[in-house]
Amino acid sequence: QALRGAGRGISLGRERHRVRNALVIAQVAMALVLLVSSGLMIRTFQALGTVQPGFTDATHLQIMRISIPPSLLPEAQRVTRTQNNIADKLASIPGVMSVGMGEMPLEELPLQADAIYAEDKIYSPNEIPPIRLYKFISPGFFRTAGTRLVAGRDLTWTEVYGFRPVGIISENLARELWGSAAAAIGKRVREYPGMAWREVVGVVEDVHENGLQEKPPAIVYWPMMMRLRDDVPPNAMRTTTFVMRTRRAGTQSFLEQVRQAVWSVNASLPVASVRTMQEIYDRSLARTSFTLVMLAIAGSMALLLGLIGIYGVIAYAVSQRRREIGIRVALGAQQSELRHMFVSHALTLTAIGVAIGLAASAGLMRLLKSLLFGITPLDPFTYASVPVVLLVTALAASYLPARRAAAVDPVETLRAE
């Protein structure tokens, strides 16, 4: 205490030192909150990357939308025949492995839904089953998209043109209604009373329709042309997505050939929404990616400020205590003891900041819950690794001024007194 008490401005120096210490603690706490946020988003991004969305090899999937208005082709059969002819033309393009028709997941198109009844289930007079999504597809759609067939088989063009009452359902709907995918084969479903019962001929894997972070919905897949009832004309999907699997997806030469193939069937048909499935997939992750980048930038800046703050405080302490250090060295203090004294001071400040930051993070990270997937706001790995990063940073930031303190020449220091 006698060594530290010399000098007229020591009281003011101590007050300033306390303020600097408080600022370092605040910087460390803020850095920890932002780094925890970044860590949680990185973990979320990793978890989303392991999700099977319901299609495979998105970079090799080319999609486009074609609409056939009633003024051009009024009959449903001609609409489907034209779409089938277009698919055949597209399949003949060099490099195209397969072609299918049907709405792809993550397209952000208006979804259709209705109550789905199972024939072997008993419903009370006023009971309405849960609402399910339904889509219209062509034979070969699942094979082209890479959607795995869990049980049963795909639709056939004979069934489409013959208006046979068949359909395909998702695996989660099969499990909900009959316990397993295999048990669903041969069962019959329909949308509403009065509609013909349709036999389930296949069950496909669950598809993340509304985003990778959302639970896959139960879906029923109907043939792209069908009779809803025997007493009404057949219905066809006039607007549909054509899906092509090819390694040439996205190239200009391939897209030119695609347009020429469509116009060779009907020159009046516009080709719209020409994209690869990878573009749609990346856009579905855009919000998570943007949040991750912003938090990473903020976290990096906070970490840098914390590092500068720790370095500045320790360097300032060394400059203010040079006389004390010189006397300690003259009395036999070892360099390792002096280094330890300043490094431990920095680690103490960092530990206090980490403790405050962890408490703040535990409360604030609940605000990120809607952005997280596959992890909790209190993810143990993130909360364990970020404090280690900060402590290592503090160790690095304090070592240089601590080493400088240990190298003080007592003769030079005391000569200035």
Side-chain angles (χ1 to χ4, degrees):
Q1 186 64 30
L3 291 172
R4 295 178 180 178
R8 292 174 295 177
I10 200 67
S11 297
L12 182 60
R14 283 180 177 175
E15 189 62 32
R16 288 177 178 173
H17 203 56
R18 290 193 191 98
V19 172
R20 287 183 173 87
N21 289 347
L23 286 174
V24 169
I25 291 171
Q27 288 171 346
V28 170
M30 185 181 299
L32 186 133
V33 171
L34 291 170
L35 289 173
V36 165
S37 303
S38 300
L40 291 176
M41 293 307 298
I42 291 172
R43 297 267 289 160
T44 290
F45 213 72
Q46 290 174 336
L48 289 173
T50 64
V51 173
Q52 171 53 258
F55 53 86
T56 58
D57 206 4
T59 55
H60 296 153
L61 286 179
Q62 181 72 57
I63 70 170
M64 64 179 182
R65 299 274 290 174
I66 294 180
S67 181
I68 304 177
S71 58
L72 187 62
L73 294 175
E75 300 89 357
Q77 290 95 330
R78 288 185 61 193
V79 170
T80 302
R81 290 283 182 187
T82 299
Q83 292 167 334
N84 196 352
N85 290 339
I86 292 174
D88 290 340
K89 290 288 186 180
L90 294 173
S92 66
I93 297 176
V96 175
M97 291 173 270
S98 61
V99 179
M101 289 171 277
E103 294 175 0
M104 290 292 288
L106 309 179
E107 275 197 271
E108 298 182 353
L109 297 171
L111 300 176
Q112 303 177 88
D114 204 346
I116 298 297
Y117 293 80
E119 186 181 30
D120 58 346
K121 305 297 179 183
I122 299 175
Y123 303 95
S124 62
N126 297 323
E127 182 182 359
I128 298 178
I131 300 297
R132 317 290 188 182
L133 295 183
Y134 65 87
K135 292 184 172 186
F136 297 94
I137 62 165
S138 74
F141 170 75
F142 295 122
R143 178 169 57 87
T144 303
T147 306
R148 183 169 51 89
L149 196 65
V150 179
R153 59 173 178 82
D154 197 359
L155 303 176
T156 67
W157 282 111
T158 300
E159 291 170 331
V160 173
Y161 291 121
F163 303 112
R164 294 185 184 173
V166 294
I168 293 174
I169 64 174
S170 60
E171 186 178 7
N172 52 6
L173 181 57
R175 287 196 305 267
E176 179 184 335
L177 293 177
W178 296 290
S180 69
I185 303 301
K187 299 293 193 300
R188 301 207 297 176
V189 295
R190 65 182 180 185
E191 280 184 43
Y192 54 84
M195 180 181 180
W197 291 105
R198 310 189 75 83
E199 180 185 353
V200 176
V201 297
V203 177
V204 295
E205 67 174 311
D206 300 333
V207 172
H208 289 262
E209 185 64 40
N210 302 312
L212 300 181
Q213 71 279 5
E214 300 291 335
K215 183 180 179 182
I219 306 178
V220 178
Y221 300 92
W222 301 129
M224 60 187 301
M225 182 175 66
M226 56 189 287
R227 283 188 192 276
L228 301 178
R229 296 199 311 264
D230 292 337
D231 58 341
V232 298
N235 181 52
M237 285 301 296
R238 293 185 170 274
T239 301
T240 189
T241 299
F242 284 78
V243 187
M244 294 154 277
R245 181 167 290 278
T246 173
R247 294 186 179 278
R248 299 175 61 197
T251 62
Q252 194 60 41
S253 61
F254 176 69
L255 297 181
E256 279 298 321
Q257 288 180 296
V258 165
R259 293 186 179 93
Q260 291 303 320
V262 174
W263 294 334
S264 69
V265 176
N266 192 315
S268 301
L269 293 177
V271 178
S273 300
V274 181
R275 297 169 291 177
T276 65
M277 202 58 211
Q278 187 64 48
E279 294 174 50
I280 297 175
Y281 179 82
D282 292 341
R283 190 175 64 183
S284 72
L285 295 176
R287 185 177 70 155
T288 303
S289 301
F290 178 78
T291 306
L292 172 60
V293 170
M294 290 298 101
L295 287 173
I297 293 173
S300 299
M301 293 300 296
L303 183 62
L304 179 61
L305 287 174
L307 187 149
I308 294 172
I310 292 168
Y311 177 88
V313 163
I314 301 304
Y316 177 77
V318 170
S319 67
Q320 292 296 302
R321 298 170 65 178
R322 286 183 65 84
R323 180 175 179 275
E324 172 197 339
I325 294 168
I327 295 174
R328 286 178 181 270
V329 173
L331 294 176
Q334 299 298 312
Q335 288 189 355
S336 59
E337 294 174 347
L338 293 172
R339 282 197 298 267
H340 179 267
M341 180 175 66
F342 288 103
V343 169
S344 63
H345 177 55
L347 293 180
T348 299
L349 295 180
T350 304
I352 296 172
V354 165
I356 296 173
L358 286 174
S361 298
L364 292 175
M365 289 311 102
R366 299 184 187 279
L367 300 177
L368 282 178
K369 189 173 183 179
S370 62
L371 292 173
L372 303 181
F373 175 83
I375 59 171
T376 67
L378 300 177
D379 178 53
F381 179 82
T382 303
Y383 279 80
S385 57
V386 170
V388 172
V389 171
L390 282 173
L391 289 171
V392 170
T393 301
L395 185 64
S398 60
Y399 180 76
L400 198 60
R403 197 174 111 178
R404 190 183 303 130
V408 165
D409 184 352
V411 176
E412 294 295 329
T413 302
L414 297 177
R415 182 180 296 168
E417 289 296 319

